[in-house]
Amino acid sequence: MSETMQQTAEPVLEIRNLSIDYPISIGTVGAVEKVSFDLYKGEALGLVGESGCGKSTLGLSILKLVRPPGKITGGQILYKGRDIVSMRDRQILKLRGQNIAMAFQNPLTSLNPLFRIDRQFLETIHQHEPGINKSEALKLAEAILEELGIEPSRLYEYPHQLSGGMRQRIMLGLGLIMNPDIIVADEPTTSLDVIVEAGFIDLLNRLRGRYNLSILLITHNLGLVAEIADRVAVMYAGKIVEIGGADKIFHDPLHPYTYGLINCVPNIRLDQEELVTMPGNPPDLVNPPAGCRFSPRCPKVMDICRVQEPELKAPAAVQGTGQLSDQTSGAGSDTARRVTACWLYQVKGAE
Amino acid sequence: MSKEALFSVRSLVKEFPVQKNLIDLLLAGRKRSVVHAVDDISFDIYKGEVLGLAGESGSGKSTTGRLLLRLIEPTDGIIEYRGRNLTAISSREMETLRAKLQIVFQDPNSSLSPRMSIGRAIGHPLRIHRMGNSGQRKDRVLELMEKIGLTPADFLYRKYPHQVSGGQAQRIVLARALVTGPEFIVADEPIAMADVSVRALILELMKQLKGEFDLTYLFITHDLATAKYLCDRIAIMYLGRIVEIGSRDELFSRPHHPYTQALLEAVPVPDPVQRRTEEMVHGEIPSAINPPAGCHFHPRCPHAMPRCSEGRPPLTEIAPRHFSACVLDS
């Protein structure tokens, strides 16, 4: 969206060289390895990839919710300049909900079935604002329900009395009640039917403008990403392989994995004769392949790909044209910057 | 495409009794309530086609698929397969017919026994139907594994389900369905659990196998983009009823029923340049225990009129071989 592009590029979240490991019996799974990206104020960034690529682990790490034995082994997560990785639990508790909220896949497991919705709202509000009295807090909750298109009287029902779509909206409401800057949404529509999903997408897009929210949308659903995201980061086997504006990623993907991912999905607006297929499987993350992790499956693989790992950086070819290089891009903002980790776009052996 | 009907389904009904707890029984007395999972539907499946059955969860599409193979018994109606009424034959006869009529489920891992090797699992239907001796069976399985891309076949033959990837598991399930040489396969959301890149592979494989083995598919899906990609004709179901049925081209270029229109508009398009306009239909699919009177869709329909709640609108032919069940059509 052009409005977000024209905003001054102010990152609310900077991920720097983040690595997360899961030790298992036969070794260590490098679920996320040296990942870096920024999330800017008011933008929606789609983090896409297939299952096991580390996108959900990455999402959980932002609120330090990675479960043991999973562990952040390196890097920084800077929220407005403060490093979340080195924060104490008490500080993080404050951050959760107040500044950064999470929306999960399955609202039924995220809402407490024993408590009415009002109590779940009160709990969240009191956690962050102990001074607020009950009637004021309820007013807040009613207001947010109204915004979500749910009758305020539903506040006094239990989760099982609500439909799946309503539960998902309420979960979003619980996330938004304290006015966070960032919402991390991990497959927020997977449990919803298509018409309800469409309603949820519209709602998210509406609220986003209203509250100037930054959204990190984690999903494998490319349709969902296309509907919401301004920029897209593509993950493969624990690494980010490409980041760019949503239009560019969908219409002019650079990395061969991005190309395969975008074009293997049936598109209802097209008459496709054949889908692009990517044979093979994602690699074993205990012993990842040398060089580029996609090289064993890549149709454009070169010798160097199997030996040396490409860096995530602006593509040389694009830099050469002078259209999209760092300084001249878009409205001069960093947000339009396009990077990819592929030897096809880099001067071989430059380092 | 030939017009020979492989299946003719007429007035098919399936009701499931609702399990009640003690309090409900005391309060409501002995009144029996049922879920109208499939509510009087009729359609044909032609030889060699892919018929898509699409709809939201709870629309009755999976139940319909299972009814066709009599994996569950219908409450009422006729299922004719090659002129024989499947609802009237004995279960033994039905069992022999199952060599020709197969099904593939959504989750390959729960469809495979963890204690059966891949080769044994694929060959299992041959043993059940007493086809060939053990040597012939093994040859048949290995040959099929090669064809379906389960290679190296010799190596995988001895492996177990936990040792293969999700994509391979789905291929194993497909191979098992094909091993007896069926002519009809119910594919119940075969790609819903698979990863994006695996989905494309399975879809391409299903297309290829259809040609190679001269198959007819009933393809059950909630994803209309996939239905458009694979199916020749598509039936849209809503709360146990078919609301629209027609060829892919007709249905996607001229969707007629307001529910079909809403579904099509709601599908997220994987292209940021073509974002949807805001959705006009709200609410969710109502309960199938007490479905709305008349047209089931009228409480959510943007065009609802008083007469929509008065009676069930019949499927009306609005264009050649394109039927829609809406009062606007009759």
Side-chain angles (χ1 to χ4, degrees), chain A residues 233-306:
Chain A
V234 182
M235 256 186 115
Y236 181 77
K239 297 248 170 198
I240 286 182
V241 297
E242 182 165 0
I243 307 179
D247 293 7
K248 288 282 177 207
I249 292 282
F250 277 87
H251 287 280
D252 180 25
L254 294 177
H255 198 283
Y257 179 68
T258 312
Y259 176 83
L261 195 66
I262 301 293
N263 290 292
C264 71
V265 181
N267 181 334
I268 198 160
R269 300 278 168 87
L270 303 177
D271 288 308
Q272 292 153 300
E273 280 298 314
E274 211 174 321
L275 299 173
V276 170
T277 52
M278 284 187 280
N281 295 301
D284 170 9
L285 289 181
V286 177
N287 296 304
C292 168
R293 292 180 171 190
F294 188 59
S295 62
R297 298 173 76 187
C298 184
K300 296 188 173 170
V301 65
M302 303 175 290
D303 289 340
I304 190 169
C305 305
R306 301 187 213 270

Side-chain angles (χ1 to χ4, degrees), chain A residues 1 50-51 163 165 193-194 196 198 202 220 226-227 229 247 250-251 264 268-271 273-275 277, chain B residues 56-57 165 195-197 200-201 204 207 225 228-229 263 268-276 278-279 284 300:
Chain A
M1 300 217 146
E50 298 179 84
S51 43
S163 70
D193 267 320
V194 56
V196 181
D202 294 342
H220 69 280
E227 293 278 359
D247 293 7
F250 277 87
H251 287 280
C264 71
I268 198 160
R269 300 278 168 87
L270 303 177
D271 288 308
E273 280 298 314
E274 211 174 321
L275 299 173
T277 52
Chain B
E56 295 176 276
S57 46
S165 70
D195 246 324
V196 196
S197 67
L201 286 165
E204 289 299 327
K207 260 171 71 171
K228 183 179 183 188
Y229 178 69
L263 266 186
V269 179
D271 182 353
V273 185
Q274 302 193 37
R275 287 195 178 168
R276 281 174 318 104
E278 280 217 10
E279 190 56 33
E284 288 174 56
R300 297 170 76 187

Side-chain angles (χ1 to χ4, degrees), chain B:
Chain B
M1 184 154 310
S2 69
K3 293 232 179 119
E4 182 199 347
L6 194 65
F7 272 93
S8 289
V9 176
R10 293 292 173 268
S11 307
L12 189 64
V13 176
K14 179 64 190 178
E15 292 171 352
F16 290 107
V18 180
Q19 288 279 348
K20 282 190 165 178
N21 62 35
L22 190 65
I23 294 166
D24 285 340
L25 279 175
L26 288 173
L27 290 175
R30 278 174 182 255
K31 221 173 71 194
R32 188 172 156 264
S33 56
V34 293
V35 176
H36 305 271
V38 173
D39 184 5
D40 193 358
I41 62 171
S42 301
F43 61 95
D44 291 335
I45 303 174
Y46 300 109
K47 175 107 190 88
E49 77 169 347
V50 183
L51 176 67
L53 212 49
E56 295 176 276
S57 46
S59 61
K61 52 193 195 302
S62 288
T63 305
T64 306
R66 275 154 222 224
L67 284 170
L68 284 199
L69 303 191
R70 254 182 79 188
L71 296 177
I72 45 178
E73 297 292 331
T75 308
D76 201 5
I78 295 170
I79 301 163
E80 243 178 41
Y81 162 63
R82 289 194 174 276
R84 293 171 77 184
N85 183 0
L86 296 187
T87 59
I89 64 176
S90 71
S91 49
R92 175 156 302 179
E93 264 182 285
M94 191 63 222
E95 263 162 41
T96 52
L97 278 179
R98 289 224 175 91
K100 293 278 164 209
L101 312 172
Q102 288 285 341
I103 186 163
V104 174
F105 295 103
Q106 186 175 124
D107 180 1
N109 292 312
S110 63
S111 324
L112 290 170
S113 164
R115 298 172 51 171
M116 223 186 252
S117 70
I118 307 301
R120 210 173 130 78
I122 297 173
H124 201 53
L126 293 175
R127 278 197 304 282
I128 291 172
H129 291 284
R130 297 202 180 81
M131 293 171 166
N133 60 36
S134 72
Q136 289 168 326
R137 287 202 288 258
K138 183 167 184 183
D139 290 344
R140 166 84 180 138
V141 170
L142 286 173
E143 179 204 357
L144 194 59
M145 285 174 76
E146 289 283 346
K147 249 186 203 155
I148 238 167
L150 283 165
T151 48
D154 283 326
F155 174 75
L156 284 171
Y157 191 91
R158 284 172 282 116
K159 294 282 165 201
Y160 283 82
H162 73 273
Q163 294 168 306
V164 302
S165 70
Q168 280 173 325
Q170 196 56 278
R171 282 169 199 263
I172 292 164
V173 173
L174 268 171
R176 187 177 59 183
L178 289 171
V179 76
T180 54
E183 63 171 342
F184 175 69
I185 289 182
V186 175
D188 189 356
E189 303 265 17
I191 59 165
M193 309 270 293
D195 246 324
V196 196
S197 67
V198 175
R199 286 180 186 183
L201 286 165
I202 299 292
L203 284 178
E204 289 299 327
L205 180 66
M206 283 185 67
K207 260 171 71 171
Q208 176 208 326
L209 294 171
K210 179 181 172 286
E212 211 162 308
F213 295 95
D214 195 17
L215 297 168
T216 304
Y217 290 137
L218 177 68
F219 187 78
I220 298 170
T221 182
H222 68 280
D223 177 14
L224 283 164
T226 308
K228 183 179 183 188
Y229 178 69
L230 194 72
C231 302
D232 302 307
R233 280 194 314 140
I234 292 157
I236 305 287
M237 284 190 79
Y238 187 72
L239 268 185
R241 294 175 178 174
I242 292 177
V243 296
E244 184 162 1
I245 183 166
S247 71
R248 171 192 35 210
D249 295 346
E250 272 283 316
L251 201 89
F252 284 99
S253 56
R254 280 182 292 277
H256 215 268
H257 197 282
Y259 178 62
T260 311
Q261 291 171 357
L263 266 186
L264 290 182
E265 275 163 33
V267 176
V269 179
D271 182 353
V273 185
Q274 302 193 37
R275 287 195 178 168
R276 281 174 318 104
T277 46
E278 280 217 10
E279 190 56 33
M280 22 194 292
V281 170
H282 296 285
E284 288 174 56
I285 195 161
S287 152
I289 300 174
N290 285 308
C295 168
H296 283 347
F297 186 59
H298 83 262
R300 297 170 76 187
C301 182
H303 311 292
M305 301 177 284
R307 79 191 156 105
C308 293
S309 55
E310 278 163 17
R312 173 175 178 172
L315 268 176
T316 312
E317 189 158 21
I318 47 159
R321 308 197 346 140
H322 182 182
F323 298 82
S324 167
C326 177
V327 295
L328 293 169
D329 304 323
S330 44

